[in-house]
Amino acid sequence: MYKIDGSSHKDGIKNEQSLIENLKSGTAQRLYPELSDDFKVIKRGGTRFKQDMEIVDGDQTILISAKKKDEINKGSFDWVNSSSVIKSIPCLREFANTVKNIGKLHSLKGTAKLGVLTASHKALNELTSSDVSTILQEHVSNKNKDMKVIISETSTGTNWEYNFQDSPLNNSIKNHTPVIQLGDGIDSAKIIFKDDRGNKFDHGIRIRIVTNNGIGALIGQSKSNNSSIAVVKIQQDNIPGLISGLGNKIRKF
């Protein structure tokens, strides 16, 4: 289950601040020796910025996406968590409209939940490879093309850094065909990739078609959130696999 109580967001902000202090204390210059002594680390994020922070040194700006895990072997992180993904994909627009109508028409949480899950599973079944390719190209590859990714394991204080452009995931998004692989999930499915020879590539990517604040908020019965809308998540599972797949293109610090 993914959290909808806001705790993940708060933990992420705490991790970002800790990482900023780490970078300021000398780590940034060890990672990027070209930096002068006058560099600054600036917090970004929010709705305006894809990057969580920037290292700024004169005319040079290094964009950083910060990913936090308590333990690297457990759980996942998001590449995308957005309602904007929905606009260009017909079956996702239909899901969003269904969610909106369920919020207006239902007051029983169980009934509303069943309706949302049914609509989500329908959308997953209707997504084409072209649809998934559009989502991944526009919202993962393009938006992370200049990004340094730093994964932090808070339980050990260990970090890993790499260029998103160098990743096997980015290579597959650009050169291979994504395929939805349905399994046990109702509102989520794996995304695997195939090349023109039929070879398969599994980068631990999952798509979720869900609501951002849960069913209670959707039907007006949540104390913590006033509303809930349809969103698409592109999720990174198997983080140890991501790290090992990068080989010498990832640095541990």
Side-chain angles (χ1 to χ4, degrees):
M1 289 293 292
Y2 55 92
K3 298 179 182 179
I4 58 171
D5 60 359
S7 61
S8 296
H9 178 66
K10 292 173 185 175
D11 288 347
I13 292 173
K14 185 177 179 182
N15 172 65
E16 289 165 20
Q17 191 56 46
S18 176
L19 181 56
I20 286 172
E21 296 305 319
N22 189 347
L23 291 168
K24 284 180 177 178
S25 70
T27 299
Q29 287 176 308
R30 289 196 295 274
L31 289 171
Y32 315 111
E34 71 277 12
L35 292 174
S36 74
D37 293 334
D38 297 323
F39 78 89
K40 294 179 173 59
V41 185
I42 301 170
K43 180 173 171 52
R44 293 300 192 194
T47 57
R48 290 182 57 203
F49 298 96
K50 180 68 176 176
Q51 66 272 26
D52 296 303
M53 61 195 71
E54 297 174 357
I55 300 174
V56 179
D57 187 21
D59 294 334
Q60 181 185 10
T61 300
I62 300 171
L63 309 180
I64 294 175
S65 175
K67 308 295 187 183
K68 168 201 165 287
K69 295 308 304 170
D70 294 329
E71 296 181 45
I72 212 70
N73 292 315
K74 297 180 180 178
S76 60
F77 63 72
D78 289 340
W79 289 112
V80 177
N81 181 358
S82 174
S83 61
S84 65
V85 176
I86 288 165
K87 297 174 184 176
S88 60
I89 311 294
C91 66
L92 297 181
R93 289 201 302 270
E94 181 182 347
F95 171 71
N97 289 332
T98 300
V99 166
K100 190 181 296 184
N101 289 333
I102 287 171
K104 293 176 182 177
L105 299 174
H106 294 286
S107 58
L108 291 175
K109 196 169 184 179
T111 304
K113 184 176 182 179
L114 179 60
V116 171
L117 285 172
T118 301
S120 175
H121 199 64
K122 180 175 183 290
L124 281 173
N125 275 281
E126 293 177 358
L127 275 175
T128 66
S129 287
S130 178
D131 292 334
V132 178
S133 182
T134 295
I135 293 169
L136 294 175
Q137 189 72 247
E138 293 182 359
H139 297 275
V140 180
S141 187
N142 290 352
K143 291 185 178 180
N144 287 282
K145 65 178 182 177
D146 298 317
M147 203 77 71
K148 310 284 188 183
V149 180
I150 296 181
I151 305 169
S152 300
E153 183 180 46
T154 57
S155 60
T156 63
T158 306
N159 302 275
W160 293 262
E161 184 266 3
Y162 69 95
N163 292 326
F164 180 81
Q165 280 197 10
D166 293 338
S167 66
L169 172 61
N170 187 48
N171 179 61
S172 280
I173 292 173
K174 289 180 173 296
N175 299 302
H176 303 146
T177 301
V179 179
I180 290 284
Q181 191 174 74
L182 294 166
D184 296 336
I186 297 173
D187 58 2
S188 73
K190 282 179 67 69
I191 299 173
I192 63 168
F193 297 84
K194 291 183 179 180
D195 65 15
D196 53 10
R197 297 181 179 179
N199 297 310
K200 294 181 181 179
F201 304 88
D202 183 353
H203 302 301
I205 298 300
R206 177 168 293 273
I207 184 169
R208 292 187 177 277
I209 302 176
V210 293
T211 60
N212 64 336
N213 289 323
I215 303 300
L218 178 65
I219 60 175
Q221 296 179 12
S222 170
K223 294 179 180 178
S224 55
N225 293 294
N226 296 324
S227 64
S228 190
I229 60 172
V231 295
V232 171
K233 294 172 179 267
I234 301 296
Q235 178 177 293
Q236 178 70 59
D237 297 335
N238 188 16
I239 299 169
L242 178 154
I243 291 170
S244 63
L246 281 156
N248 62 5
K249 294 178 180 177
I250 191 166
R251 299 185 285 179
K252 186 176 179 179
F253 66 94

